[in-house]
Amino acid sequence: MEGSSRFHLIEACEASLHRLGTDHIDLYYIHGFDRNTPVEETLRALDDLVTSGKIRYIGCSNFSGWQLMKSLSISERSNWSRYVAHQVYYSLLNRDFEWELMPLALDQQVGTIVWSPLAAGRLGGRYRRTNPIPQDGRVARGGAPVRDNVISYDRLYNIVDVLDEISGETGKTVAQIALNWLLQRPTISSLVIGASSEEQLAQNLKAVDWSLTAEQLRRLDVASNTPKPYPYWHQDQRPELSSQVY
């Protein structure tokens, strides 16, 4: 089933309620923007599901800035339920989210749910300069949600070098530090973490209840920094006109 038409959304929601054996869903996501369906139709259907009590809140996933802002504007004008959460890809290895979507989330008070916070396992602590990702493995062959052609491996290993240093200082694992960095970023509400074993899941869950120091955060920021595209690098020339710091 594809698309965000009224028919598809209502049918999909009813099917989810049946599979889950429940009478409501707390947070219902649109997993991608549908250019073939008017935004008004999608949002009206979602609002009807909220007012009927079948879902509590609505969220979206992988929207661009204009798509999310257009949706929020239509919801506001029509007095419909608005997206309260945006599920995005964000990690130390890929910080594109910060250029437009994070400022939007701050301004519009939209919570961020991060998928693949360890960059499809690249920041899990297994790979480094002395143990590179195998070229015939699942990640390099494209069997991961984060494509290999958007990754700079020199940059990855530079980040892992700093993660290793901080791991020695804190006694935390590389993965725990990468996850903790995300949890301290603005707008981040929760992380969607995956694990191949119960032990790995338990280790990842230990990324909470402690914080990296300001100096450690600065080192990770420097190691993972990337040049911004236009118009963001141009706007950065006048920092006094922007109140957002992250």
Side-chain angles (χ1 to χ4, degrees), residues 92-242:
L92 274 167
L93 189 55
N94 296 93
R95 296 175 59 182
D96 297 355
F97 166 74
E98 297 174 5
W99 297 339
E100 180 165 307
L101 292 171
M102 181 183 283
L104 193 162
L106 283 165
D107 182 72
Q108 295 296 310
Q109 298 184 319
V110 177
T112 302
I113 313 294
V114 178
W115 60 264
S116 202
L118 295 178
R122 295 176 179 88
L123 295 168
R126 178 179 178 184
Y127 305 115
R128 47 186 41 82
R129 296 181 196 280
T130 56
N131 184 38
I133 293 177
Q135 293 305 300
D136 59 348
R138 176 184 65 89
V139 171
R141 288 187 286 105
V146 181
R147 300 196 316 264
D148 203 54
N149 62 358
V150 301
I151 302 298
S152 164
Y153 278 90
D154 283 340
R155 185 162 169 273
L156 168 63
Y157 298 135
N158 287 339
I159 294 169
V160 173
D161 286 345
V162 178
L163 287 169
D164 279 335
E165 292 174 5
I166 297 175
S167 178
E169 296 165 8
T170 62
K172 306 295 184 181
T173 68
V174 163
Q176 289 167 357
I177 296 166
L179 295 173
N180 191 271
W181 178 85
L182 276 173
L183 290 169
Q184 295 191 58
R185 303 300 289 166
T187 79
I188 305 304
S189 301
S190 187
L191 312 178
V192 180
I193 57 175
S196 57
S197 66
E198 183 177 345
E199 179 184 3
Q200 188 180 61
L201 176 61
Q203 284 293 317
N204 287 345
L205 291 175
K206 292 180 181 178
V208 300
D209 297 330
W210 60 277
S211 296
L212 293 162
T213 67
E215 193 273 336
Q216 290 167 340
L217 289 171
R218 183 196 63 78
R219 285 154 59 193
L220 288 170
D221 289 345
V222 170
S224 62
N225 187 50
T226 52
K228 293 181 180 180
Y230 176 83
Y232 308 108
W233 61 260
H234 192 275
Q235 294 170 358
D236 282 349
Q237 296 178 65
R238 298 293 302 278
E240 69 276 9
L241 299 180
S242 174

